[in-house]
Amino acid sequence: MTTAPIRPVQALLVVDVQSAFVSGGEAVPDAARVLDRTRDLLARARAAGALVVHLQNDGTPGTADEPHTPGWELHLPVEPGPREAVVRKTDDDGFEDTRLGELLTGAGVRELALCGVLSEMCVSATARTALRRGYRVVLPHDAHATYDIPAAPGISEAVPAAMSSRAAEWALGDEVEIVARAADVPFVAGELTAEREAAGARVR
């Protein structure tokens, strides 16, 4: 876990902070903490002019995050513009068949932070691909979460969510920068390409 001062990142990826996972009776156990840390990260990323990308999972019919159902909606407000976007996905990996890579390139991003849910699934899968593509990846320990793993007879007792999240961090290996507190992650603006500036102007 990183203890030295953290170099600034140029982007924040908010992974699947959708109502089904962070509100109501089916929320992850640490939803309140993740929402608090995510709000802080969003405020500071926006203030610095960093790129913000909200990943939104399109679940299959009948699931909690089925598109255009209440659980699918992003739980925190989005501020559309040249430095903030929503990317819908159908895979754990936020890069798979999406425009995420294009957005990061267009915003001059080489270093990024992730937060959200679920630690061992979409957060982990997106972090792995980012590392594979050569990005520096920062993962604040207190800004991602998952569910408890139920007991499996003959295999294991129940695994608390906090342990599962920590195991997901460990499994990412030495390349990812795990930091204890989201509050310690600094942001800086990347350099937008002309095309990205124009696209943002059209959105506004």
Side-chain angles (χ1 to χ4, degrees):
M1 188 169 288
T2 301
T3 56
I6 303 162
R7 297 199 322 271
V9 297
Q10 301 106 23
L12 173 66
L13 306 187
V14 182
V15 183
D16 299 354
V17 179
Q18 294 165 251
S19 292
F21 309 127
V22 296
S23 65
E26 299 301 316
V28 296
D30 287 323
R33 169 177 54 78
V34 169
L35 286 172
D36 177 72
R37 304 306 190 272
T38 301
R39 288 187 183 100
D40 172 66
L41 289 164
L42 279 169
R44 293 188 294 104
R46 287 164 174 160
L51 177 70
V52 173
V53 179
H54 303 261
L55 295 177
Q56 184 176 27
N57 196 66
D58 288 352
T60 55
T63 58
D65 56 349
E66 178 182 351
H68 310 297
T69 63
W72 170 79
E73 299 291 343
L74 294 174
H75 194 73
L76 299 175
V78 177
E79 298 182 4
R83 295 189 184 272
E84 189 153 351
V86 176
V87 171
R88 293 173 59 177
K89 63 185 182 64
T90 57
D91 191 272
D92 285 356
D93 179 3
F95 289 90
E96 183 72 22
D97 295 326
T98 74
R99 61 193 181 104
L100 177 57
E102 175 189 336
L103 288 173
L104 295 174
T105 299
V109 173
R110 292 311 307 164
E111 303 168 300
L112 56 87
L114 289 92
C115 64
V117 296
L118 299 170
S119 303
E120 78 283 18
M121 297 178 70
C122 297
V123 172
S124 178
T126 302
R128 285 183 185 282
T129 296
L131 290 168
R132 190 166 61 249
R133 291 186 176 208
Y135 291 98
R136 172 179 164 244
V137 177
V138 176
L139 181 60
H141 174 74
D142 60 351
H144 66 96
T146 192
Y147 293 103
D148 298 332
I149 299 175
I155 298 176
S156 74
E157 300 296 325
V159 179
M163 292 180 64
S164 181
S165 289
R166 179 65 185 124
E169 293 175 344
W170 186 260
L172 287 170
D174 294 337
E175 291 180 273
V176 70
E177 291 181 36
I178 308 296
V179 299
R181 302 189 322 140
D184 293 333
V185 179
F187 294 93
V188 67
E191 186 172 340
L192 289 177
T193 63
E195 292 82 2
R196 182 74 182 131
E197 287 278 16
R202 288 195 295 273
V203 168
R204 288 177 294 178

PDB file of all heavy atoms in Angstrom, residues 10 29 48 63 70 82 94-96 102 113 129 140 168 173 175 177 188 196:
ATOM      1  N   GLN A  10      -4.925  12.380 -13.842  1.00  0.00           N
ATOM      2  CA  GLN A  10      -5.680  13.253 -14.751  1.00  0.00           C
ATOM      3  C   GLN A  10      -7.118  12.806 -14.974  1.00  0.00           C
ATOM      4  O   GLN A  10      -7.850  13.440 -15.732  1.00  0.00           O
ATOM      5  CB  GLN A  10      -4.974  13.330 -16.114  1.00  0.00           C
ATOM      6  CG  GLN A  10      -3.561  13.854 -16.058  1.00  0.00           C
ATOM      7  CD  GLN A  10      -2.543  12.742 -16.252  1.00  0.00           C
ATOM      8  OE1 GLN A  10      -2.811  11.692 -16.826  1.00  0.00           O
ATOM      9  NE2 GLN A  10      -1.346  12.979 -15.742  1.00  0.00           N
ATOM     10  N   PRO A  29     -22.662  -3.497   1.646  1.00  0.00           N
ATOM     11  CA  PRO A  29     -22.621  -3.126   3.056  1.00  0.00           C
ATOM     12  C   PRO A  29     -21.986  -1.766   3.337  1.00  0.00           C
ATOM     13  O   PRO A  29     -22.396  -1.070   4.259  1.00  0.00           O
ATOM     14  CB  PRO A  29     -21.819  -4.266   3.687  1.00  0.00           C
ATOM     15  CG  PRO A  29     -22.061  -5.440   2.797  1.00  0.00           C
ATOM     16  CD  PRO A  29     -22.160  -4.863   1.415  1.00  0.00           C
ATOM     17  N   ALA A  48     -10.329  20.442 -10.266  1.00  0.00           N
ATOM     18  CA  ALA A  48      -9.005  20.448 -10.886  1.00  0.00           C
ATOM     19  C   ALA A  48      -9.063  20.425 -12.406  1.00  0.00           C
ATOM     20  O   ALA A  48      -8.039  20.604 -13.069  1.00  0.00           O
ATOM     21  CB  ALA A  48      -8.201  19.245 -10.393  1.00  0.00           C
ATOM     22  N   THR A  63     -32.428  -8.305 -14.130  1.00  0.00           N
ATOM     23  CA  THR A  63     -31.438  -8.033 -13.090  1.00  0.00           C
ATOM     24  C   THR A  63     -31.659  -6.655 -12.492  1.00  0.00           C
ATOM     25  O   THR A  63     -32.392  -5.828 -13.025  1.00  0.00           O
ATOM     26  CB  THR A  63     -30.008  -8.123 -13.656  1.00  0.00           C
ATOM     27  OG1 THR A  63     -29.869  -7.178 -14.747  1.00  0.00           O
ATOM     28  CG2 THR A  63     -29.707  -9.523 -14.171  1.00  0.00           C
ATOM     29  N   PRO A  70     -35.207   1.690 -12.255  1.00  0.00           N
ATOM     30  CA  PRO A  70     -34.678   2.566 -11.192  1.00  0.00           C
ATOM     31  C   PRO A  70     -33.294   2.148 -10.690  1.00  0.00           C
ATOM     32  O   PRO A  70     -32.446   3.005 -10.417  1.00  0.00           O
ATOM     33  CB  PRO A  70     -35.732   2.453 -10.094  1.00  0.00           C
ATOM     34  CG  PRO A  70     -37.006   2.159 -10.834  1.00  0.00           C
ATOM     35  CD  PRO A  70     -36.595   1.263 -11.969  1.00  0.00           C
ATOM     36  N   PRO A  82     -17.049  18.837 -21.618  1.00  0.00           N
ATOM     37  CA  PRO A  82     -15.862  18.270 -22.262  1.00  0.00           C
ATOM     38  C   PRO A  82     -15.010  17.421 -21.340  1.00  0.00           C
ATOM     39  O   PRO A  82     -14.203  16.618 -21.806  1.00  0.00           O
ATOM     40  CB  PRO A  82     -15.089  19.512 -22.743  1.00  0.00           C
ATOM     41  CG  PRO A  82     -15.568  20.614 -21.853  1.00  0.00           C
ATOM     42  CD  PRO A  82     -17.005  20.316 -21.568  1.00  0.00           C
ATOM     43  N   GLY A  94     -14.614  -1.987 -18.167  1.00  0.00           N
ATOM     44  CA  GLY A  94     -15.138  -0.742 -18.720  1.00  0.00           C
ATOM     45  C   GLY A  94     -14.576  -0.372 -20.076  1.00  0.00           C
ATOM     46  O   GLY A  94     -15.128   0.508 -20.758  1.00  0.00           O
ATOM     47  N   PHE A  95     -13.491  -1.027 -20.499  1.00  0.00           N
ATOM     48  CA  PHE A  95     -12.898  -0.749 -21.809  1.00  0.00           C
ATOM     49  C   PHE A  95     -13.513  -1.605 -22.921  1.00  0.00           C
ATOM     50  O   PHE A  95     -13.397  -1.259 -24.093  1.00  0.00           O
ATOM     51  CB  PHE A  95     -11.389  -1.009 -21.778  1.00  0.00           C
ATOM     52  CG  PHE A  95     -10.594  -0.009 -20.981  1.00  0.00           C
ATOM     53  CD1 PHE A  95     -10.359  -0.209 -19.628  1.00  0.00           C
ATOM     54  CD2 PHE A  95     -10.072   1.127 -21.585  1.00  0.00           C
ATOM     55  CE1 PHE A  95      -9.614   0.706 -18.893  1.00  0.00           C
ATOM     56  CE2 PHE A  95      -9.331   2.045 -20.865  1.00  0.00           C
ATOM     57  CZ  PHE A  95      -9.107   1.836 -19.511  1.00  0.00           C
ATOM     58  N   GLU A  96     -14.128  -2.715 -22.561  1.00  0.00           N
ATOM     59  CA  GLU A  96     -14.588  -3.689 -23.551  1.00  0.00           C
ATOM     60  C   GLU A  96     -15.754  -3.143 -24.375  1.00  0.00           C
ATOM     61  O   GLU A  96     -16.844  -2.893 -23.860  1.00  0.00           O
ATOM     62  CB  GLU A  96     -15.016  -4.982 -22.847  1.00  0.00           C
ATOM     63  CG  GLU A  96     -15.444  -6.091 -23.775  1.00  0.00           C
ATOM     64  CD  GLU A  96     -14.278  -6.712 -24.535  1.00  0.00           C
ATOM     65  OE1 GLU A  96     -13.128  -6.602 -24.070  1.00  0.00           O
ATOM     66  OE2 GLU A  96     -14.533  -7.305 -25.594  1.00  0.00           O
ATOM     67  N   GLU A 102     -10.934   5.876 -25.895  1.00  0.00           N
ATOM     68  CA  GLU A 102     -10.940   7.082 -26.731  1.00  0.00           C
ATOM     69  C   GLU A 102     -11.072   8.340 -25.878  1.00  0.00           C
ATOM     70  O   GLU A 102     -10.389   9.350 -26.120  1.00  0.00           O
ATOM     71  CB  GLU A 102     -12.099   6.992 -27.712  1.00  0.00           C
ATOM     72  CG  GLU A 102     -12.321   8.223 -28.576  1.00  0.00           C
ATOM     73  CD  GLU A 102     -13.614   8.136 -29.371  1.00  0.00           C
ATOM     74  OE1 GLU A 102     -14.093   7.015 -29.616  1.00  0.00           O
ATOM     75  OE2 GLU A 102     -14.142   9.194 -29.732  1.00  0.00           O
ATOM     76  N   ALA A 113      -7.502   7.386 -11.430  1.00  0.00           N
ATOM     77  CA  ALA A 113      -7.970   6.772 -10.191  1.00  0.00           C
ATOM     78  C   ALA A 113      -9.317   6.120 -10.443  1.00  0.00           C
ATOM     79  O   ALA A 113     -10.086   6.573 -11.297  1.00  0.00           O
ATOM     80  CB  ALA A 113      -8.083   7.813  -9.085  1.00  0.00           C
ATOM     81  N   THR A 129      -7.336  -3.869 -17.146  1.00  0.00           N
ATOM     82  CA  THR A 129      -7.158  -3.454 -18.534  1.00  0.00           C
ATOM     83  C   THR A 129      -6.417  -2.123 -18.607  1.00  0.00           C
ATOM     84  O   THR A 129      -5.573  -1.923 -19.490  1.00  0.00           O
ATOM     85  CB  THR A 129      -8.511  -3.364 -19.246  1.00  0.00           C
ATOM     86  OG1 THR A 129      -9.086  -4.667 -19.281  1.00  0.00           O
ATOM     87  CG2 THR A 129      -8.358  -2.856 -20.673  1.00  0.00           C
ATOM     88  N   PRO A 140      -8.045   3.993  -4.385  1.00  0.00           N
ATOM     89  CA  PRO A 140      -8.208   4.314  -2.959  1.00  0.00           C
ATOM     90  C   PRO A 140      -8.949   3.190  -2.237  1.00  0.00           C
ATOM     91  O   PRO A 140     -10.063   2.818  -2.631  1.00  0.00           O
ATOM     92  CB  PRO A 140      -9.038   5.600  -2.964  1.00  0.00           C
ATOM     93  CG  PRO A 140      -9.089   6.068  -4.378  1.00  0.00           C
ATOM     94  CD  PRO A 140      -8.854   4.879  -5.237  1.00  0.00           C
ATOM     95  N   ALA A 168      -9.333  -8.405  -3.524  1.00  0.00           N
ATOM     96  CA  ALA A 168      -9.367  -7.913  -4.903  1.00  0.00           C
ATOM     97  C   ALA A 168      -8.215  -6.948  -5.157  1.00  0.00           C
ATOM     98  O   ALA A 168      -7.597  -6.977  -6.230  1.00  0.00           O
ATOM     99  CB  ALA A 168     -10.700  -7.231  -5.183  1.00  0.00           C
ATOM    100  N   GLY A 173      -1.911  -7.059  -7.958  1.00  0.00           N
ATOM    101  CA  GLY A 173      -0.458  -7.100  -8.048  1.00  0.00           C
ATOM    102  C   GLY A 173       0.220  -5.779  -7.724  1.00  0.00           C
ATOM    103  O   GLY A 173      -0.404  -4.820  -7.260  1.00  0.00           O
ATOM    104  N   GLU A 175       1.602  -3.516  -9.667  1.00  0.00           N
ATOM    105  CA  GLU A 175       1.527  -2.377 -10.579  1.00  0.00           C
ATOM    106  C   GLU A 175       0.522  -1.318 -10.122  1.00  0.00           C
ATOM    107  O   GLU A 175       0.723  -0.127 -10.321  1.00  0.00           O
ATOM    108  CB  GLU A 175       1.146  -2.849 -11.980  1.00  0.00           C
ATOM    109  CG  GLU A 175       2.207  -3.663 -12.682  1.00  0.00           C
ATOM    110  CD  GLU A 175       1.737  -4.073 -14.066  1.00  0.00           C
ATOM    111  OE1 GLU A 175       1.086  -5.122 -14.171  1.00  0.00           O
ATOM    112  OE2 GLU A 175       2.010  -3.316 -15.021  1.00  0.00           O
ATOM    113  N   GLU A 177      -1.461   1.173  -7.656  1.00  0.00           N
ATOM    114  CA  GLU A 177      -1.131   1.930  -6.445  1.00  0.00           C
ATOM    115  C   GLU A 177      -2.351   1.933  -5.530  1.00  0.00           C
ATOM    116  O   GLU A 177      -3.335   2.606  -5.800  1.00  0.00           O
ATOM    117  CB  GLU A 177      -0.730   3.363  -6.787  1.00  0.00           C
ATOM    118  CG  GLU A 177       0.598   3.469  -7.513  1.00  0.00           C
ATOM    119  CD  GLU A 177       0.974   4.923  -7.803  1.00  0.00           C
ATOM    120  OE1 GLU A 177       0.688   5.811  -6.961  1.00  0.00           O
ATOM    121  OE2 GLU A 177       1.540   5.171  -8.884  1.00  0.00           O
ATOM    122  N   VAL A 188      -5.225  16.599 -11.446  1.00  0.00           N
ATOM    123  CA  VAL A 188      -4.728  17.671 -12.294  1.00  0.00           C
ATOM    124  C   VAL A 188      -5.399  17.516 -13.653  1.00  0.00           C
ATOM    125  O   VAL A 188      -5.799  16.406 -14.030  1.00  0.00           O
ATOM    126  CB  VAL A 188      -3.186  17.606 -12.418  1.00  0.00           C
ATOM    127  CG1 VAL A 188      -2.750  16.353 -13.171  1.00  0.00           C
ATOM    128  CG2 VAL A 188      -2.626  18.858 -13.054  1.00  0.00           C
ATOM    129  N   ARG A 196     -11.893  16.700 -28.678  1.00  0.00           N
ATOM    130  CA  ARG A 196     -12.609  16.519 -27.410  1.00  0.00           C
ATOM    131  C   ARG A 196     -13.220  17.835 -26.939  1.00  0.00           C
ATOM    132  O   ARG A 196     -14.336  17.866 -26.421  1.00  0.00           O
ATOM    133  CB  ARG A 196     -11.644  15.971 -26.350  1.00  0.00           C
ATOM    134  CG  ARG A 196     -12.289  15.704 -25.016  1.00  0.00           C
ATOM    135  CD  ARG A 196     -13.152  14.460 -25.059  1.00  0.00           C
ATOM    136  NE  ARG A 196     -13.792  14.277 -23.768  1.00  0.00           N
ATOM    137  CZ  ARG A 196     -15.065  14.047 -23.577  1.00  0.00           C
ATOM    138  NH1 ARG A 196     -15.882  13.945 -24.578  1.00  0.00           N
ATOM    139  NH2 ARG A 196     -15.559  13.870 -22.366  1.00  0.00           N
TER     140      ARG A 196
END
